[in-house]
Every structure is written in structure tokens, then in C-alpha cells.
Amino acid sequence: MRALGEQDIRTSFINCSKGEAKRLALPRDLDERPWDDLDFLGWRDQGAPDRSYLVTEHGGRLTGVALRFQQARSGYFQRSMCALCLTTHPRGGVSLMTARRAGAAGREGNSVGLYMCTDLACSLYLRGKKVSQSGARFEESLTLEEQVARTLGNLSAFVAKVTA
């Protein structure tokens, strides 16, 4: 992913108002992000524990999605799998992220959801730059490029539901 600036990020959001996008908390480490290893930008709002955001290329343009989630209260031995990157995590490392739909549907309260890595670090898990608390990922026969393509396809399908 190419490096993004504050203005690029704020103007990309499709499921919140311009005022909400202007007020949302951006990551403070944008200059230090490993952009070459990221397939999308995702971060949690440190001031609001139930909010996360992601920005990706969708339909040839930068698209931001505001997400909400409830921290999972699962047991230590229960594992969950991220629907984007297929990484398994114990103890709430995967959360149901919900996004208000764009436009009139979202204003009426309609939303869509997907189970994702709570820290939105899917790109780093795929590349082995970050390891889940479970210690490993399932060994796959797919190449890294194929895994990245699958993850981006899963993300694109989710974003398409938000925009539909």
C-alpha cells in the first residue's frame, strides 16, 4: 500500500459524515508504518475502545470504513478465525466488526459485519511480521501473493457490502 497522509485518510470515509471523519482519531505513527508490508491501513481508536477504522483501495479509489465492535469475552481455550486473513487467535483476538452501510441505508440503521483480527494487522500476520497469541498460523499451500490476493478479495467483498 502507498503511504497515506491525514487528508487522504479523512476524505476517504464512506460511512460517516464529513464532521465525523474530521474528528476521528488517526494513528500517530503514520510516518513509521511499514507501508510496503500493508495491504490496507487499519487501526483501533485508543480513545474509544469500541471503534476501529480501515482504509483500502476499492473500485480504483481510496475507501475508508468506520467500524464498531464489542470486545470478545471468550475463554482462553476458545479460538476464532479472522475472515480476512484466516489467522486464528485465542481470547478475543478476533472480533465481529460492524460497519454502518453508506448512504441512506446507513442512516436508517443498516449495517454489515465480518469477523476480523481485532488489531487489524492481517497484512503483518500473513507476512510473518507479527505472530498471533496462539503462536502460529495454519500452514497453507498458497503462496504469499495468493494469500494476499485472497485477503484483499475478502476485504473487497466486505467493502462492497458497505457501499451497496
Side-chain angles (χ1 to χ4, degrees):
M1 174 166 220
R2 66 179 173 90
L4 301 175
E6 178 180 345
Q7 192 62 26
D8 293 329
I9 295 169
R10 290 193 188 281
T11 59
S12 71
F13 282 89
I14 60 169
N15 67 337
C16 61
S17 70
K18 289 181 182 179
E20 290 170 322
K22 185 177 179 182
R23 291 186 301 271
L24 64 84
L26 294 180
R28 294 188 177 121
D29 63 347
L30 284 176
D31 293 336
E32 302 161 16
R33 292 278 169 142
W35 294 104
D36 292 338
D37 292 326
L38 296 180
D39 304 306
F40 64 91
L41 174 64
W43 73 97
R44 291 182 61 181
D45 187 335
Q46 297 303 313
D50 66 336
R51 293 185 185 152
S52 290
Y53 308 96
L54 67 83
V55 178
T56 187
E57 291 283 338
H58 181 74
R61 66 181 281 250
L62 205 56
T63 304
V65 177
L67 303 163
R68 289 192 179 254
F69 69 98
Q70 182 175 5
Q71 194 68 282
R73 293 180 179 86
S74 60
Y76 180 77
F77 295 107
Q78 183 179 4
R79 295 186 189 278
S80 300
M81 181 181 285
C82 172
L84 293 179
C85 66
L86 306 186
T87 300
T88 58
H89 296 272
R91 295 179 303 200
V94 171
S95 298
L96 176 62
M97 302 280 188
T98 59
R100 184 173 57 198
R101 294 185 69 181
R107 288 189 295 276
E108 293 173 4
N110 294 325
S111 63
V112 295
L114 189 70
Y115 285 94
M116 298 182 205
C117 294
T118 304
D119 61 4
L120 296 172
C122 299
S123 302
L124 300 178
Y125 292 121
L126 288 176
R127 290 166 174 79
K129 308 260 178 180
K130 190 168 184 177
V131 179
S132 77
Q133 290 180 357
S134 65
R137 293 187 72 235
F138 290 112
E139 188 174 328
E140 295 191 63
S141 60
L142 299 177
T143 65
L144 175 60
E145 292 78 21
E146 292 169 328
Q147 292 176 49
V148 167
R150 178 188 60 211
T151 299
L152 289 175
N154 292 342
L155 179 58
S156 181
F158 175 70
V159 173
K161 289 178 185 176
V162 173
T163 61

